[in-house]
Amino acid sequence: MSKQVGKYQWQDVETLIYEIVSIALLPPDKLTNIDSKITYNEDNIELILGESAKGEELFKYIVGKIAYTGNGTREEIASVLLKDLAEFERVFAEFVDRQFKLQQGDPYFDHAYDLIKCLTRFESNGDVSSSFKVLSFNYSIDRRFMNFWKDQNPSPSNVFPKIEDWANIHGIASYATPWQSAFPVQDDYKQDEKYLPAPIFGIDSQNIIKDSLTDDLRILFTKSYRIMDNGVNRIRESGDYSDIDKITIYGHSLGRADYSYFETIFDEVKLYNSDVMVEYFYYQGNSEVELILNKRTAITKMFNLLTDYGKSLGETHGSNIVAKLDLEKRLSVVPMDYL
């Protein structure tokens, strides 16, 4: 990848995936949702930012240089791109796995433990019957952490709530299965402690659905498809969030690629008409400028997420969901230093 990546950051890899598979798998006249950022360097065969992402010339170049297989049918191209994506995910998993150990004494692990204690905010006289669920977008600490948490907070003397469920929705760096191994078909899809799904990257399906194209092979690269293909649900409970009273979001950029997850949870808790609270923790920064900009950015991201969700509720309610949550004191945007 060229160093000329402009506003791209590492977490924007899914934006690049969307743009590349769209260019490679769609006819040039259907590239309506590409942000016109990708062009190519003929000498180095690399992607750089530019103004001409559309057109027959670029389409032929991407297909011919990056995903050429035989006659280059779209099915062959999709297969090659999926294989390359899986290799990228494997290397990414190895990198993440080298950064920490899933055991007490590792700074990363201990920090996660302290952080979760702070997020639950239970005092010594807390309600010991309470519980919480973790939906992690991270690839590091996984559901095996639940056993450590239980050992540190044994019932009935525990002062912190129990972890009812932990799901790494996008897979786990220290996965315990060969990549895309064919797992047995089961009638009972209960949790399989021996199965830890490999990490996935994927794209949001909203734009693809809006395009309404027949046989759109980009669906193979959506998060929903890849989660099913990767067997993530084998390590999850029912995934029912209808009984929760607070949604805490920490360490997430609230990028549009993950909107569908949050909006599904908002639907389950009937966010508009319920008493459920939403709190979003953001990095505050150090300088005076950062304090202002980061707060403004965090509020904007939360506003955009809720406004987008409100569109699914209809004009009667959706347009004022942010105002309603504010009025009822159910929405908080909090700097991480508050913890």
Side-chain angles (χ1 to χ4, degrees), residues 116-127:
I116 293 175
K117 285 197 301 184
C118 290
L119 288 173
T120 55
R121 294 214 241 352
F122 271 63
E123 304 296 338
S124 59
N125 61 348
D127 181 0

Side-chain angles (χ1 to χ4, degrees), residues 39-141:
T39 184
Y40 62 89
N41 183 307
E42 185 67 43
D43 296 326
N44 298 322
I45 312 181
E46 61 187 7
L47 299 178
I48 61 178
L49 296 186
E51 298 298 330
S52 56
K54 304 173 185 177
E56 188 71 23
E57 183 182 4
L58 177 60
F59 175 78
K60 288 181 178 179
Y61 178 82
I62 294 291
V63 173
K65 294 292 187 180
I66 296 179
Y68 177 76
T69 57
N71 294 324
T73 66
R74 297 189 190 279
E75 289 76 11
E76 290 174 319
I77 293 168
S79 178
V80 169
L81 289 176
L82 278 173
K83 182 179 179 181
D84 289 343
L85 178 57
E87 175 63 14
F88 170 77
E89 291 162 342
R90 183 189 66 78
V91 173
F92 174 81
E94 291 178 352
F95 169 79
V96 173
D97 205 29
R98 288 195 300 266
Q99 308 307 309
F100 77 102
K101 296 179 180 179
L102 191 66
Q103 62 187 30
Q104 189 175 8
D106 183 275
Y108 182 86
F109 182 88
D110 288 345
H111 176 71
Y113 176 73
D114 293 337
L115 173 62
I116 293 175
K117 285 197 301 184
C118 290
L119 288 173
T120 55
R121 294 214 241 352
F122 271 63
E123 304 296 338
S124 59
N125 61 348
D127 181 0
V128 298
S129 65
S130 296
S131 63
F132 64 96
K133 301 176 181 179
V134 176
L135 182 65
S136 176
F137 293 81
N138 208 327
Y139 302 91
S140 51
I141 292 177

